């Protein structure tokens, strides 16, 4: 048990799920009986009055402790007790609502039976407010005797003053933005607040009286100047932070002071705004109250904070710190049951406590120490054994923690090959708090629902959701893959809030999602041939979902048609170990080619064939690839032009609007000079340009999707041609596919150009001189694509000469002139001269294939391939 702890004298919890704030607590003799009562109002509209009298400290609350409980119609913002009723100096209760101020008389009736006294409240008067109230203060404004007036601050900065049953006047604070704490100083007859400019401001009551009336704000400037004086601040002090509360202290043995509680400091000011002292706080305060000190000339201050601690200061010196069971939002000092200095605290969720400062005695006794001799030899042997265990553990320790045999959180995705709904299952071995599942697919694919939030999962339980993936667009996607990510928190003994955990899994979508069987096409603009080391497999075997078993001709020829309309034909050679994929669009070849290689690998893997290999010995279709790059870059240039034109027309539109407004505001009418016609024409141009820019954005998205598909195809062909491993393919994908989305600020062309240039200067460099060159400057949109196409051609040529992709520069040593696999190379000087011309391409052909073509003069490459066609 902590030594510094507030001793619980009496406590209770108010209601259920009620909220309280700074102004909801008041301690005063509200029934004029000579004893303090605790008045509490809540945002739920409940008003409660307590008079605690426990038999001994810490006793449970008794029923008779609650004198009165009544539910009002509106939330209670603040409660105060003062002389608010004319004709009497008795104390009354003022209750501030959002749009109403009510003053009640609290009275008690002596009980004749064991049920005790009966208390009731009577409404004396009320004021309906025209503005939403924030807080209020009271006092003898103007030096009146025997009564208190009320000042209410509204949310829009108006001070509304009430002389008991009647409304006096209202004034707006100058330069107002947000309301702050408000209090009244009777010594200087002024109101003190903290503005949103982080300044403590003081306004004299007499200045408010003679200032311009708030209701006259709609009048002209000349009428304002003639009807009253301007509201002028008395003094200002910049404290550099927002204030939580303000209190005025005027004790007999202490100097009259203004206390301001800031977010990180406690300020004490003189009546004229000069700083007496300040205390920097190393915590976040929540409330405070100054009270009289036993030492003459000093002031004690209670400061509560968000660490459940109540600090007691004597001026700037910390005298005591007591632990509370809650975070106080309001604190008061009361005299209850002849016990002076009772600390009353209220939390935001309704924990009301009366406590006092003290200490709890400690009954702990240290155990007796056995005085036996120490065997140092045994201790040394044990120490050596422990050090040996630590060294062995450090040898096998990894940077990352070893994965558990059974993971706590698992997410699995099951995709139906029959195009039914996809199911995702989340399994948890431990308690999972608020699991959040995200399902992501690449556009133009979309899912029916991409976010799922579950209730807490119990240990060894699971949740399953069903969703569907569909094509949302008029172009095929570049990938048929998706990703599921689930995140949650798992509570532990040391961390009840939970440790965050994430699990993910990838899933592959069926090809039938985006295409269906179609009649094969005999002719096509683009053809690629994949070589294998195994006899061709019938399409009835590897494509059972597309091929019809009743059609014998589909064993070697199969047609596909995307939902967007384009057709692809797949052919298997009867005499050689080749497969051909052909289509009118280069980008359409990618998905079918990838699906073919994957299904061939799965087929031979099931037959325990480990030496199956796919290769490519044709020419890399760089010219067609460059055409897609140019198309995408052209749309990016168009987007930039549309943006500039829209900016110009928007400036013109705003200029015309300003001129028209000037004409309309002029007291002497003047002709518009066709400005309205010009405004309408400019508006139509802006709408037309916006529609054109939106259409261009859609076209650019389609072009980027096609470019990504073609890029995947080029990467695959280069990897099959050069027999690259998985790490080298990953480097190529990182260089050619760095962006998931294309934007004007960071586009595909400049990013890929920078990545390929880096590879050419590191692992694919010819000499150490090229490695010394550095790439500098910020990435920006290039003027054209000639440099990018030159670097891509040079990249392929360096690979053809024996260059190998690596993340280190040590592999870039001597270039081999003879390429494995019999691929001929092109002189780099000739290549660099040709790639300057837009639309050029580099061809990398196989010696055997070239010999066949040369042996048949007059026969084109397409005709040569037609002879090999099955």
């Amino acid at each position: 048990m902590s030594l510094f702890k507030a001793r619980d004298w009496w406590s209770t919890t108010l209601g259920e799920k009620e909220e309280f704030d700074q102004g909801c607590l008041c301690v005063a003799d509200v029934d004029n009986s000579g004893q303090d009562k605790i008045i509490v109002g809540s945002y739920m509209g409940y008003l409660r009055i307590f008079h605690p009298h426990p038999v001994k400290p810490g006793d449970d609350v008794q029923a008779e402790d609650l004198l009165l409980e009544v539910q009002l119609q509106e939330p209670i913002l603040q409660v105060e007790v003062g002389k608010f009723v004319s004709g009497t100096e008795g104390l009354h209760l003022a209750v501030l609502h959002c749009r109403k101020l009510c003053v009640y008389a609290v009275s008690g009736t002596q009980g004749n039976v064991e049920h005790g006294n009966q208390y009731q409240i009577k409404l004396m008067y009320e004021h309906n407010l025209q503005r939403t109230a924030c807080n209020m203060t009271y006092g003898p404004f103007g030096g009146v005797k025997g009564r208190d007036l009320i000042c209410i601050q509204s949310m829009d900065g108006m001070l509304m003053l009430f002389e008991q049953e009647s409304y006096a006047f209202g004034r707006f604070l100058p330069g107002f933005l947000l309301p702050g704490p408000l209090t009244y100083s009777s010594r200087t007859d002024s109101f003190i607040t903290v503005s949103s400019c982080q300044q403590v401001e003081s306004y004299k009551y007499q200045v408010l009286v003679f200032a311009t009336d708030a209701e006259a704000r709609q009048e002209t400037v000349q009428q304002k100047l003639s009807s009253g004086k301007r509201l002028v601040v008395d003094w200002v002090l910049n404290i550099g932070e927002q204030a939580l509360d303000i209190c005025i202290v005027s004790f007999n043995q202490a100097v009259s002071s203004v206390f301001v509680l800031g977010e990180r400091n406690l300020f004490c000011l003189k009546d004229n705004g000069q700083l007496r002292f300040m205390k920097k706080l190393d915590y976040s305060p929540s409330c405070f109250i100054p009270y009289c000190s036993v030492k003459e000339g000093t002031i004690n201050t209670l400061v509560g904070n968000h660490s459940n601690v109540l600090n007691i200061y004597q001026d700037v010196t910390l005298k005591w710190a007591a632990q509370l069971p809650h975070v106080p939002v309001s604190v008061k000092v009361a005299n209850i049951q002849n016990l002076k200095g009772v600390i009353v605290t209220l939390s935001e969720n309704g924990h009301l406590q009366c406590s006092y400062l003290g200490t709890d005695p400690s009954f702990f006794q240290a155990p007796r120490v056995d005085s036996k001799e120490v065997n140092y030899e045994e201790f040394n042997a044990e120490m050596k054994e422990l050090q040996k265990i630590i060294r062995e553990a450090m040898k096998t320790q990894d940077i990352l923690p070893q994965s558990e045999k059974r993971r706590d959180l698992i997410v699995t995705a099951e995709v139906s090959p029959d195009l039914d709904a996809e199911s995702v299952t989340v399994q948890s071995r431990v308690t999972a708090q608020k699991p959040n599942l995200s399902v992501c697919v690449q556009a133009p694919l979309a899912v029916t629902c991409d976010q799922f939030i579950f209730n807490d999962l119990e240990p060894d339980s699971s949740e399953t959701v069903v969703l569907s993936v569909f094509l949302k667009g008029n172009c095929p996607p570049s990938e048929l893959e998706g990703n599921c990510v689930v995140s949650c928190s798992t509570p532990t003994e040391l961390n009840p809030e939970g440790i965050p955990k994430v699990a993910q899994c990838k899933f592959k979508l069926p090809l039938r999602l985006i295409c269906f069987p179609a009649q094969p096409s005999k002719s096509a603009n683009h053809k690629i041939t994949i070589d294998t080391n195994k006899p061709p497999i019938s399409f009835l075997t590897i494509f059972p979902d597309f091929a019809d078993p009743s059609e014998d001709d589909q064993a070697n020829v199969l047609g596909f048609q995307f939902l967007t309309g384009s057709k692809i034909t797949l052919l298997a050679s009867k005499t050689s170990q080749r497969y051909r994929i052909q289509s009118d669009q280069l980008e359409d070849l990618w998905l079918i080619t990838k699906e073919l290689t994957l299904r061939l690998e799965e087929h031979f893997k099931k037959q325990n064939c480990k030496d199956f290999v796919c290769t490519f010995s044709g020419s890399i279709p760089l010219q067609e690839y460059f055409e897609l790059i140019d198309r995408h870059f052209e749309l990016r240039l168009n987007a930039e032009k549309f943006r500039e034109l829209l900016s110009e027309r928007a400036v013109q539109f705003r200029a015309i609007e300003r001129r028209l407004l000037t004409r309309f505001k002029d007291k002497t009418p003047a002709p518009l000079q066709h400005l309205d016609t010009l405004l309408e024409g400019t508006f139509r141009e802006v709408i037309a340009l916006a529609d054109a820019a939106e259409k261009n954005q859609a076209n650019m998205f389609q072009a980027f999707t096609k470019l990504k598909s073609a890029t995947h195809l080029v990467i695959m062909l280069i990897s099959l041609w050069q027999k690259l491993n998985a790490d080298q393919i990953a480097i190529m994908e990182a260089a050619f596919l760095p962006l998931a989305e294309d934007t004007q600020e960071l586009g595909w062309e400049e990013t890929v150009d920078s990545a390929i240039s880096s590879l050419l200067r590191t692992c694919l460099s010819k000499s150490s001189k090229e490695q010394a060159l550095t790439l500098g400057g910020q990435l920006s949109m290039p003027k054209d694509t000639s440099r990018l196409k030159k670097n891509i051609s040079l990249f392929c040529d360096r690979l053809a000469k024996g260059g190998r992709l690596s993340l280190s520069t040590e592999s870039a040593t001597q270039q081999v002139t003879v390429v494995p696999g019999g691929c001929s190379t092109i002189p780099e000087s000739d290549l660099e001269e040709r790639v300057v011309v837009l639309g050029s391409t580099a061809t990398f052909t196989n010696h055997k294939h070239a010999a066949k073509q040369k042996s048949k003069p007059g026969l084109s490459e397409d005709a040569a391939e037609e002879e090999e066609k099955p």
Side-chain angles (χ1 to χ4, degrees), residues 343-396:
I343 301 174
V344 183
T345 56
L346 176 67
S347 69
E348 64 178 357
N349 54 5
H351 189 99
L352 180 64
Q353 176 175 325
C354 295
S355 57
Y356 59 93
L357 303 180
T359 58
D360 289 323
S362 176
F363 298 101
F364 174 76
Q365 294 182 356
R368 185 178 179 181
V369 180
D370 295 334
S371 59
K372 64 179 182 179
E373 297 182 358
V374 178
N375 191 339
Y376 292 100
E377 293 181 358
E378 292 182 1
F379 283 175
N380 289 333
E382 185 180 359
M383 177 65 71
K384 291 179 180 179
E385 185 68 24
L386 293 175
Q387 290 178 347
K388 181 180 178 181
I389 296 174
I390 293 173
R391 283 194 299 269
E392 292 294 330
M394 293 180 66
K395 288 180 182 179
T396 59

Side-chain angles (χ1 to χ4, degrees), residues 168-181:
F169 57 87
R171 300 290 185 265
F172 279 100
L173 296 177
F176 181 86
L177 181 61
L178 294 173

Side-chain angles (χ1 to χ4, degrees), residues 685-699:
E685 288 185 5
V686 170
I687 296 300
L689 285 173
D691 292 340
E694 186 177 2
K695 184 178 180 181
N696 183 82
Q697 187 71 22
N699 293 335

Side-chain angles (χ1 to χ4, degrees), residues 250 279 405-406 433 490 536 609 655 832:
S250 57
K279 173 66 178 177
K405 294 182 179 179
R406 185 181 178 188
Q433 296 178 346
T490 56
C609 180
E832 292 180 354

Side-chain angles (χ1 to χ4, degrees), residues 21 47 128 379 450 543 607 619 659 677 838:
D21 207 348
L47 178 66
N128 293 318
F379 283 175
D450 58 353
F543 285 98
Q607 296 183 351
S619 59
R659 292 199 176 187
T677 305
L838 296 179

Side-chain angles (χ1 to χ4, degrees), residues 215-226:
E215 282 74 9
R217 293 190 100 185
Q218 304 298 329
E219 300 176 359
T220 62
V221 177
Q222 292 80 4
Q223 291 174 335
K224 281 185 178 181
L225 295 177
S226 61

Side-chain angles (χ1 to χ4, degrees), residues 150-163:
I150 298 176
C151 176
I152 299 176
Q153 180 180 208
S154 67
M155 296 296 292
D156 58 353
M158 182 180 178
L159 297 183
M160 298 173 285
L161 284 90
F162 297 88
E163 294 183 357

Side-chain angles (χ1 to χ4, degrees), residues 407-433:
R407 290 180 295 177
D408 293 339
L409 189 65
I410 301 175
V411 55
T412 56
E414 183 179 352
V415 182
S416 173
D418 300 329
L419 298 184
D420 292 335
E422 174 190 350
S423 62
V424 181
T425 303
V426 179
Q427 297 177 340
S428 178
R429 189 167 59 92
V430 296
T431 301
Q433 296 178 346

